[in-house]
Amino acid sequence: MDHHAGGARVNGLESVLVVGTGLIGTSVALALRGHDVPVYLADRDAGAVRLARELGAGVEWDGRRVSLAVVAVPPHLVADQIARLQREGAARFYTDVASVKRLPIEQAAALGCDLGAYVPGHPLAGRERSGPAAARADLFLGRPWALCPTEETSPEAVEVLRGLVKLCGGEAVEVGADEHDRAVAVVSHAPHVAASAVAARLAEASGTALGLAGQGVRDVTRIAAGDPALWTGILSGNALPVADVLEAIADDLATAAAALRASAAPEDGTAGMDGVTGLLRRGVVGTTRIPGKHGGPARAYASVQVVIGDRPGELARLFQVAEAAGVNIEDVRLEHTPGLPLGAAELQVQPEAVPALTEALRTGGWQLP
């Protein structure tokens, strides 16, 4: 039986068209298919549509009208897509998932789009990998999803979008477009550029330096692996807010560099390092303000390190020990040892759970550093 037959109404969504079957678009489609919402797929890349379809994300769009069109294309293409779809009468309501909001809203208005049916959106979720093969149905689980309705946006359109976010497992947050763009400049766009600046130093680093690379540099540079073409479009669409943040970061770094050069002078010693210490302290404060995994203030967890072999099933065995001890692992991080078939697992747990977990691990023969 065709899984699109009938079109059962779910949260106001009888059917959804996803335009752009990359990471985000395909993940939206997979999440909706998990709730039996009929999903249609469109992309100028026929291969991407074919792969998304094979992954179970939906079927190729045949031009029929749907409840909602989700436009999952780069920011500078959003308005053109919405204008085209509205001319075709493709959907009752429209949204996008671009990581900047002022640009597509202004362009949509300039093109004469029906802004009453358009709810600008942005799910705050992603991965370093791109394309439909990287998509996951649970990508948005527990993640904030910004909704930036304009004065023209109809309340019904907003409610339908809230239904979409709920079905995808996200948490809807209404925010103005300008405030959104300034916010993501701080928490997403400028950090990506800063990570790229650090990672760029590695392109010219010696083999010795790379051989000494540890988890710290991996943590700092992880997001720099994103698609440069995609990120150029994102950054250009939010240019001024990102430039403001980068200039502030550059000022801090320049001050720190000047202080370090001064401290290296024989006559000064460690004089003038207050500025560096102040920056490091501000950094600590900033990290504590990042919300915890369930939202709200971040909780202070204790770390338990365990030596773990690089063999199939080792991590599962480790989790079984924690489960048997009645300890919930809040987070886990793995660090591999170059040249050796082992590494270290750092388990984040509630502080009061440390004695029970430590005892269970030692009893089970695990090696704790």
Side-chain angles (χ1 to χ4, degrees):
M1 179 179 176
D2 181 355
H3 72 252
H4 285 74
R9 189 176 183 86
V10 182
N11 283 58
L13 299 175
E14 293 180 351
S15 56
V16 173
L17 166 63
V18 173
V19 180
T21 51
L23 166 65
I24 300 298
T26 304
S27 293
V28 169
L30 289 171
L32 293 175
R33 288 301 306 131
H35 293 279
D36 293 325
V37 176
V39 177
Y40 299 92
L41 309 169
D43 196 302
R44 63 183 181 182
D45 182 348
V49 171
R50 186 164 51 251
L51 178 53
R53 186 185 65 219
E54 291 173 354
L55 292 170
V59 298
E60 191 167 354
W61 186 42
D62 56 6
R64 72 179 66 191
R65 182 175 171 84
V66 298
S67 304
L68 173 68
V70 179
V71 177
V73 300
H76 66 284
L77 299 177
V78 168
D80 284 340
Q81 285 290 334
I82 291 177
R84 180 183 65 81
L85 292 169
Q86 288 190 344
R87 285 195 301 270
E88 297 174 1
R92 186 178 181 193
F93 300 113
Y94 302 81
T95 190
D96 71 293
V97 296
S99 64
V100 297
K101 296 273 66 83
R102 175 52 56 191
L103 176 68
I105 291 172
E106 290 180 346
Q107 291 181 337
L111 290 173
C113 294
D114 175 10
L115 298 184
Y118 171 39
V119 184
H122 176 210
L124 277 296
R127 303 180 68 188
E128 289 69 59
R129 296 169 57 200
S130 59
R136 290 173 18 193
D138 63 352
L139 186 66
F140 312 106
L141 194 62
R143 301 298 302 159
W145 191 312
L147 300 180
C148 305
T150 64
E151 292 181 358
E152 294 90 345
T153 305
S154 74
E156 186 179 2
V158 175
E159 285 308 304
V160 168
L161 258 296
R162 285 186 169 274
L164 170 75
V165 174
K166 184 176 181 180
L167 287 176
C168 289
E171 300 291 335
V173 179
E174 284 197 35
V175 60
D178 290 335
E179 184 180 1
H180 167 276
D181 287 358
R182 290 192 299 269
V184 294
V186 173
V187 301
S188 176
H189 299 169
H192 189 96
V193 178
S196 296
V198 176
R201 308 281 72 77
L202 302 179
E204 304 168 356
S206 68
T208 299
L210 296 175
L212 295 174
Q215 192 60 42
V217 73
R218 291 185 176 88
D219 289 345
V220 171
T221 60
R222 178 181 58 82
I223 57 175
D227 181 1
L230 173 65
W231 272 95
T232 297
I234 291 171
L235 296 169
S236 64
N238 199 24
L240 294 181
V242 176
D244 287 342
V245 179
L246 290 178
E247 285 167 355
I249 293 172
D251 286 344
D252 277 340
L253 294 177
T255 298
L260 289 168
R261 288 194 179 279
S263 71
E267 64 274 14
D268 290 338
T270 58
M273 287 292 286
D274 289 348
V276 176
T277 304
L279 174 59
L280 297 175
R281 286 174 175 163
R282 284 162 50 210
V284 172
V285 172
T287 61
T288 64
R289 298 196 65 205
I290 299 173
K293 68 175 186 177
H294 299 301
R299 299 194 62 178
Y301 297 124
S303 295
V304 176
Q305 286 194 325
V306 188
V307 175
I308 183 170
D310 189 9
R311 297 184 297 272
E314 285 292 275
L315 196 56
R317 289 202 310 115
L318 190 59
F319 287 167
Q320 288 171 359
V321 173
E323 181 181 9
V327 175
N328 183 51
I329 297 177
E330 306 290 346
D331 202 354
V332 62
R333 185 167 68 176
L334 297 177
E335 183 171 354
H336 300 283
T337 303
L340 294 175
L342 53 83
E346 183 177 309
L347 309 178
Q348 299 284 316
V349 299
Q350 299 287 349
E352 59 272 18
V354 171
L357 179 58
T358 301
E359 178 62 26
L361 290 169
R362 288 203 172 103
T363 301
W366 293 85
Q367 181 181 347
L368 279 64

